[in-house]
């Protein structure tokens, strides 16, 4: 089942992040898909802020590949954009993160789909205009 959520401001993205932070079970893995600049990292910032992590501490992990944030619960933020394949992703040890109680977010998850759990939430982020986004949640 896919749910479409359209937001027209960063404030509404913060509300979506708060809903996800409150409803995702411990150990949830979220696959984030979308073009460059679509808002994948911004959504992670919203979830992290709702989980007690200062928003300005959350940045794109493109060059470090994985970032860890400590708030009310741990958040693990992966970025597969620069990775060649799933084997390179597996070298990061994602299973340890996925098996923890923290929330794991994988940007560009389509590049490493076979290395992510089958039981995951998938969110496609599509820009509509400068401030509006469509989130397709499956």
């Amino acid at each position: 089942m896919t749910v479409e959520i359209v937001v027209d401001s960063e404030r509404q993205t913060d509300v979506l992040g708060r809903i996800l932070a409150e409803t995702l079970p411990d150990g949830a893995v979220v696959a984030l898909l979308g073009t460059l600049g679509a808002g994948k990292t911004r959504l992670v910032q919203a979830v992290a802020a709702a989980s007690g992590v200062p928003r300005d501490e959350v940045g794109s992990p493109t060059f470090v590949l994985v970032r860890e944030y400590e708030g009310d619960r741990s958040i693990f933020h992966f970025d597969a954009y620069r990775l060649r394949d799933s084997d390179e992703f597996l070298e990061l040890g994602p299973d340890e993160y996925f098996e923890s109680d923290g929330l794991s977010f994988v940007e560009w998850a389509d590049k490493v789909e076979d290395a992510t759990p089958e039981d995951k939430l998938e969110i496609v982020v599509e820009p509509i205009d400068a401030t509006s986004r469509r989130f397709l949640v499956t």
Side-chain angles (χ1 to χ4, degrees), residues 27-115:
V29 175
V30 180
L32 295 170
L33 309 169
T35 59
L36 280 171
K40 298 178 297 293
T41 298
R42 179 64 186 89
L43 181 60
V44 176
Q45 288 174 330
V47 173
S51 300
V53 178
R55 184 174 145 187
D56 62 343
E57 287 185 19
V58 180
S60 176
T62 300
F63 296 103
V64 295
L65 305 178
V66 63
R67 292 182 185 257
E68 299 180 24
Y69 309 109
E70 292 301 325
D72 300 331
R73 63 180 162 175
S74 299
I75 295 177
F76 310 114
H77 187 192
F78 297 86
D79 190 321
Y81 182 72
R82 293 183 42 228
L83 299 179
R84 288 185 304 269
D85 54 32
S86 294
D87 289 336
E88 195 171 3
F89 181 71
L90 290 171
E91 289 176 15
L92 299 173
D95 289 339
E96 290 181 37
Y97 294 99
F98 296 162
E99 293 169 6
S100 76
D101 289 340
L103 300 177
S104 295
F105 292 86
V106 182
E107 294 193 32
W108 301 96
D110 50 330
K111 293 186 72 168
V112 295
E113 185 174 356
D114 58 334

